[in-house]
Amino acid sequence: MDGFHPFRVLRARGLWIVNGAIAGTLALLFAVLYIGANVDPVGHLHKLPVGLVNADKGTTVDGRQVNLGAQATRSITTFTAGGDKIEWKVMDEKEMKEELGQGKLFGALVVPGDFTSSTVALTSTAADGKPVRPQLTVLTNQSAGSLGSSIARSAATGAAADVSRQVGRELTAQTAAEQTKLTAAARLLLADPAAVTVEEGHPLDPHSGFGLTAFYYALVLVVCGMLSANVISGQVDQVLGYAKNEMGPLRIDRPVIRATRVQTLAISSTLMVGLSLLMGSLVLTGAVGLMGMDASHLSLLWLYSVCAIAVVGIGALTLLAVFGTPGMLLVALIFIAMAVPTAGATTPIEALPGFYRFLAEFEPLRQITDGVRSILYYGAQGDAGLTRGWAMMAVGLALAALFGFGVTGWYDRKGLHRIPSGEGKPTRVAVPAA
């Protein structure tokens, strides 16, 4: 084979078929998962939570109590077009502020306390040219996600416009006898009386990326854990002598140190935990210290960052230890391809197709993002996603440990060692100095 030219391996059909199947599958899966999740968010929208507050105290008209806010609330919840795309949650102002401050609402529509009295008074003020329009307030919540907040704003604004026109029809009917005395402007005002204002329901600090810093910070944590697992796995194999170390043109061969698969995974996982302390510290330093990202609860954010990197890294190491080279493809699919579309950051979970909503229940990036969002935007409240983030990380770590050490232990018991008997003789040597 000395005369065999290396480029002749390109004639091997197996080389093209195997690599083509892997590369093509990855390309197709990434395209389907990414584009499929975002191609039609409004079409897939299902019960996006939006608050509906009626603070209207009502007033007495011709001896009877009238509450236009209550009428509007019933109308919105009963007859709103769009089916089940929006989940109107009727609540008081205190509950609404709490849920906006926990990311449980993407927006809200508020009917103020003087809505009925202002509307009734409009019939007289419109005629004298000094109208005071009743107000309806739409609250947005970018901290829960920019796209979800935009959809909620559109729904709430549309509902407010419907309420205004409905009230306008009643006012026009009540003043039918006086219509000839009113100016054209006054008649138009009575037909659509309410003024709609839009405000931020849960204001964010200026360096919060319009509510996206939590997602990008969480994504950095996941990528650090995933990529460092690949590096650590390779470096441990090189130190143990199971893989060759190439540094540019240099190739270093180390003597083999016999280690079971369980021992190798334990060594890699221990190294991952130690290096997570370094990576978590540097991520926090880079994001907050160097780039100026707004953040509070820095100690908690640091601890959460370290734990997230460690758990993701150990999960990735488990897949590499159990599946070998194909494990790298699984890592890319689980931690990136399926994770980014289901994180609930760019597209709300409620606007995803059913399959993606199912994935979002356990995909790691979504759980980590919710925890980071709670720390950055919601005062580290447990109900805002932090408790779930910690719990899901604990579950993920437990599953990774059980699966990883369980399967590699089975490999060891079956004699499926990394160097089969008769293929080389491993040498017992001390671990080389770094």
Side-chain angles (χ1 to χ4, degrees), residues 229-405:
N230 191 44
V231 173
I232 288 172
S233 178
Q235 290 296 312
V236 168
D237 282 351
Q238 291 167 13
V239 171
L240 293 177
Y242 290 105
K244 309 306 179 184
N245 188 8
E246 294 191 10
M247 302 290 289
L250 302 179
R251 180 181 175 90
I252 303 173
D253 293 341
R254 296 182 185 273
V256 175
I257 303 172
R258 182 174 292 278
T260 66
R261 293 180 183 273
V262 168
Q263 290 171 336
T264 303
L265 179 56
I267 292 169
S268 300
S269 298
T270 302
L271 191 58
M272 173 61 71
V273 172
L275 293 181
S276 294
L277 296 168
L278 172 64
M279 287 185 285
S281 301
L282 291 177
V283 168
L284 184 63
T285 300
V288 179
L290 298 180
M291 303 312 299
M293 182 183 78
D294 287 315
S296 56
H297 305 279
L298 293 181
S299 297
L300 178 60
L301 183 60
W302 172 82
L303 178 62
Y304 193 84
S305 303
V306 169
C307 292
I309 293 173
V311 171
V312 170
I314 291 173
L317 286 170
T318 293
L319 294 175
L320 294 172
V322 170
F323 297 104
T325 300
M328 291 186 289
L329 305 180
L330 290 175
V331 168
L333 287 174
I334 293 172
F335 292 105
I336 296 296
M338 293 190 297
V340 172
T342 59
T346 54
T347 303
I349 303 299
E350 293 82 1
L352 295 175
F355 171 69
Y356 295 87
R357 289 199 293 269
F358 167 73
L359 289 179
E361 292 299 317
F362 54 84
E363 266 295 331
L365 181 56
R366 189 268 176 105
Q367 324 307 327
I368 294 172
T369 299
D370 284 352
V372 174
R373 184 184 282 125
S374 174
I375 296 172
L376 293 183
Y377 307 152
Y378 306 134
Q381 297 179 76
D383 289 345
L386 185 57
T387 298
R388 178 184 173 88
W390 282 120
M392 293 301 287
M393 278 201 289
V395 170
L397 180 61
L399 290 176
L402 289 173
F403 180 65
F405 288 107

Side-chain angles (χ1 to χ4, degrees), residues 33 108 111 146 198 213 341:
L33 290 170
V111 181
S146 298
V198 179
T213 51

Side-chain angles (χ1 to χ4, degrees), residues 1-5:
M1 298 296 287
D2 289 342
F4 184 85
H5 197 281

Side-chain angles (χ1 to χ4, degrees), residues 19-158:
N19 286 280
I22 294 173
T25 300
L26 279 178
L28 179 62
L29 287 175
F30 266 80
V32 168
L33 290 170
Y34 271 54
I35 305 302
N38 298 284
V39 69
D40 187 15
V42 176
H44 293 120
L45 194 63
H46 180 71
K47 292 188 175 181
L48 187 81
V50 180
L52 181 56
V53 177
N54 175 33
D56 190 7
K57 297 179 173 60
T59 190
T60 302
V61 179
D62 297 330
R64 61 187 181 89
Q65 184 69 21
V66 177
N67 191 308
L68 296 177
Q71 295 178 24
T73 299
R74 286 193 298 270
S75 175
I76 291 172
T77 56
T78 306
F79 302 108
T80 298
D84 61 353
K85 293 183 181 297
I86 301 296
E87 181 183 9
W88 292 102
K89 302 182 68 174
V90 180
M91 56 184 60
D92 59 32
E93 288 187 275
K94 180 181 178 182
E95 292 173 324
M96 179 265 296
K97 290 178 181 178
E98 288 179 353
E99 296 205 8
L100 284 174
Q102 294 173 345
K104 296 179 180 179
L105 295 177
F106 287 89
L109 174 59
V110 179
V111 181
D114 64 347
F115 183 70
T116 299
S117 58
S118 297
T119 302
V120 171
L122 191 62
T123 57
S124 59
T125 58
D128 63 20
K130 299 178 181 179
V132 179
R133 301 183 70 183
Q135 298 286 322
L136 291 172
T137 303
V138 172
L139 299 177
T140 60
N141 190 11
Q142 285 194 332
S143 66
S146 298
L147 179 58
S149 178
S150 177
I151 295 174
R153 172 178 175 167
S154 178
T157 303

